């Protein structure tokens, strides 16, 4: 399936723009967690659940929605799911008044992400020439960081001016914009493969040890990444309370900058995998991220002008593996079962996105939310997550050569 009337850079631009708008609400709960926790008297464990439930919605829906892209045009799934995301954000704005109702609406928003992120990637790569797929994938996955960073940025700037319900309503409007972009900017396609070809795909994917290794690595990556993002604003709010200074005046802006760093780091990571070999690259950068998680965790008493740059370096390091992982599993999978592979990859990977925030919150409650040791324990859970990912990528037996790996 190809769209001849539109050049591949234009297609990448449309999908990346739509992804950015669809993620406008991505940082709402992490950014507002201190405020919502106070308003609804949440424990740290409940705060972790509220942050993680988004990804639970994702992993419950993604096996069905992404595997469907092997049978029907992924564009159709994207449009329906982006609309659902807007509905969930509007529902949160209007009806969330307790921990329980917030869980329900935020879970539904995660389900919407399940039908936009990977199906959007599938819809894009279905329309790209083979030679452009690896870099198109890198740009698209890096845009996840752009969308997340912009989400932290606009929420951080706006929450001092608007009630939090208005922020959810504005994010719902942005989701509607993403629907319009894809509706008007991407031509419909035909079914990628006959329905019968889908049979047995799950069996083949589940017996592919290489695919499973990538899935395990993505699990560890997301455990660390989304555990960090879920609690970063709360952590910076805590550091401001114990040592106020200009560096910690606006935690949302620091969180936005930390998230924006995912973009160059992710693109650099994919190029590093091209040059030095995917497996070799991943086995080098994941231990680096693990070590930095421990360094940050034990540095809570540092002056902010040292701590904040250290956090930003750590934020960049945890994204050096992102595009390299996704491009690897995508380009090494036959096109006829690529959707099923991405479904498994997303399900296992975003299970880590659910566990990371919850594990961090449990550690905080166990060691003390107002104590440095509690936050140290939280960062230790992030190191444990990426450690699992490093162990998984080590299970790849056949090495990936340098420039041949794309």
């Amino acid at each position: 399936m190809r769209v001849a009337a539109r050049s591949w850079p234009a297609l990448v631009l449309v999908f990346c723009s739509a992804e950015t708008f669809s993620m406008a609400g991505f940082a709402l709960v992490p950014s507002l967690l201190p405020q919502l926790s106070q308003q609804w008297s949440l424990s740290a464990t409940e705060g972790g659940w509220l942050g993680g439930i988004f990804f639970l919605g994702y992993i419950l829906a993604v096996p069905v929605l992404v595997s469907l892209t092997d049978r029907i045009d992924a564009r159709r799934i994207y449009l329906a799911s982006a609309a659902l995301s807007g509905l969930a954000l509007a529902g949160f704005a209007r009806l969330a008044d307790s921990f329980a109702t917030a869980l329900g609406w935020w879970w539904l928003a995660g389900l919407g992400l399940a039908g936009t992120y990977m199906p959007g990637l599938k819809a894009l790569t279905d329309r790209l020439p083979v030679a452009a797929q690896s870099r198109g994938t890198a740009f698209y996955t890096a845009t996840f960081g752009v969308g997340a960073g912009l989400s932290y940025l606009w929420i951080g700037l706006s929450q001092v001016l608007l009630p939090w319900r208005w922020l959810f309503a504005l994010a719902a409007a942005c989701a509607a914009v993403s629907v319009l972009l894809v509706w008007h900017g991407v031509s419909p396609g035909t079914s990628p493969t006959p329905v019968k070809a889908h049979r047995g795909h799950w069996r083949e994917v589940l017996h592919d040890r290489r695919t499973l290794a990538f899935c395990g690595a993505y699990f560890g990556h997301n455990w660390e990444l989304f555990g960090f993002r879920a609690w970063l604003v709360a952590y910076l709010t805590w550091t401001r309370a114990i040592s106020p200074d200009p560096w910690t005046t606006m935690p949302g802006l620091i969180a936005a900058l930390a998230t924006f760093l995912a973009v160059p780091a992710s693109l650099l990571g994919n190029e590093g995998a091209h040059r030095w070999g995917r497996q070799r690259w991943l086995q080098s950068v994941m231990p680096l991220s693990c070590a930095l998680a421990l360094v940050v965790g034990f540095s809570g008493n540092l002056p902010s002008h040292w701590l904040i740059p250290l956090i930003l370096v750590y934020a960049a390091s945890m994204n050096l593996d992102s595009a390299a992982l996704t491009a690897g599993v995508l380009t090494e999978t036959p096109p006829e079962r690529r959707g099923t592979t991405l479904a498994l990859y997303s399900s296992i990977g975003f299970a880590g996105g659910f566990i990371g925030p919850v594990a961090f919150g449990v550690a905080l409650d166990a060691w003390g939310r107002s104590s440095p040791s509690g936050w140290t324990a939280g960062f230790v859970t992030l190191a444990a997550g990426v450690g699992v990912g490093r162990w998984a990528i080590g299970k790849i037996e056949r090495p990936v050569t340098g420039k041949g790996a794309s």
Side-chain angles (χ1 to χ4, degrees):
M1 180 169 53
R2 297 285 182 267
V3 179
R6 184 177 291 275
S7 66
W8 74 261
L11 275 171
V12 172
L13 179 61
V14 169
F15 276 103
C16 289
S17 299
E19 182 186 4
T20 301
F21 277 102
S22 72
M23 292 186 63
F26 179 80
L28 280 166
V29 166
S31 296
L32 298 170
L33 188 57
Q35 181 179 344
L36 296 177
S37 294
Q38 184 177 18
Q39 182 171 341
W40 294 331
S41 302
L42 304 183
S43 67
T45 300
E46 288 173 328
W49 267 93
L50 186 56
I53 200 70
F54 183 86
F55 301 105
L56 183 59
Y58 185 101
I59 63 178
L60 291 176
V62 78
V64 176
L65 296 178
V66 181
S67 61
L68 276 175
T69 64
D70 280 336
R71 292 182 284 172
I72 65 176
D73 184 9
R75 173 182 176 274
R76 294 166 58 188
I77 296 171
Y78 183 98
L79 291 171
S81 300
L84 176 64
S85 180
L87 175 65
L89 293 168
F92 199 116
R94 181 70 179 87
L95 300 172
D97 57 5
S98 67
F99 174 62
T101 54
L103 280 179
W105 287 110
W106 198 232
W107 171 85
L108 193 62
L111 194 152
L113 179 66
T116 55
Y117 181 44
M118 285 296 174
L121 175 60
K122 180 66 161 52
L124 172 61
T125 55
D126 280 345
R127 291 163 169 81
L128 290 179
V130 173
Q133 287 182 358
S134 177
R135 286 188 170 87
T137 298
F139 276 108
Y140 183 87
T141 55
T143 302
F144 192 98
V146 174
L150 287 173
S151 183
Y152 278 106
L153 181 61
W154 82 266
I155 294 166
L157 294 173
S158 302
Q159 65 175 311
V160 297
L161 303 173
L162 297 171
W164 63 263
R165 294 187 186 276
W166 277 96
L167 303 183
F168 278 89
L170 289 172
C174 289
V177 173
S178 72
V179 173
L180 294 175
L181 280 171
V182 174
W183 180 271
H184 290 288
V186 180
S187 300
T190 57
S191 297
T193 59
V195 174
K196 290 184 179 178
H198 180 71
R199 296 176 182 176
H201 283 187
W202 278 104
R203 189 185 312 111
E204 295 172 7
V205 171
L206 289 169
H207 284 84
D208 188 331
R209 293 174 61 88
R210 189 172 184 80
T211 296
L212 293 178
F214 275 113
C215 290
Y218 195 47
F219 171 88
H221 165 77
N222 282 342
W223 175 331
E224 177 189 35
L225 179 66
F226 293 116
F228 173 77
R229 288 180 177 173
W231 285 102
L232 179 56
V233 172
Y235 177 64
L236 294 171
T237 301
W238 173 77
T239 60
R240 180 180 60 183
I242 64 172
S243 181
D245 62 35
W247 286 83
T248 55
T249 300
M250 299 190 71
L253 294 182
I254 300 298
L257 179 56
T259 308
F260 280 131
L261 288 172
V263 180
S266 186
L267 295 173
L268 174 64
N270 190 57
E271 295 303 317
H274 272 270
R275 180 165 184 174
W276 290 292
R278 198 171 306 280
Q279 186 177 359
R280 180 182 177 187
W281 175 261
L282 292 170
Q283 289 179 331
S284 299
V285 299
M286 296 180 92
L288 171 65
S289 178
C290 180
L292 285 171
L294 295 174
V295 171
V296 172
F298 285 95
S299 301
N301 291 323
L302 282 180
S304 295
H305 64 276
W306 289 103
L307 178 61
I308 299 303
L310 180 60
I311 288 174
L312 296 178
V313 171
Y314 172 48
S317 75
M318 71 176 68
N319 289 283
L320 290 171
D321 55 359
S322 179
L325 286 169
T326 303
V329 76
L330 181 71
T331 59
E332 296 179 27
T333 300
E336 67 272 9
R337 57 184 172 93
R338 192 171 285 162
T340 306
T341 299
L342 286 176
L344 181 68
Y345 179 75
S346 295
S347 299
I348 295 176
F350 277 82
F354 165 67
I355 290 173
V358 175
F360 200 116
V362 170
L364 269 180
D365 273 339
W367 293 89
R369 188 170 185 172
S370 59
S371 166
S373 60
W375 293 100
T376 297
F379 279 97
V380 168
T381 67
L382 304 184
V386 72
V388 170
R390 169 60 181 85
W391 171 84
I393 208 66
K395 295 299 180 181
I396 294 180
E397 297 175 357
R398 177 172 59 86
V400 182
T401 58
K403 295 184 180 182
S406 57

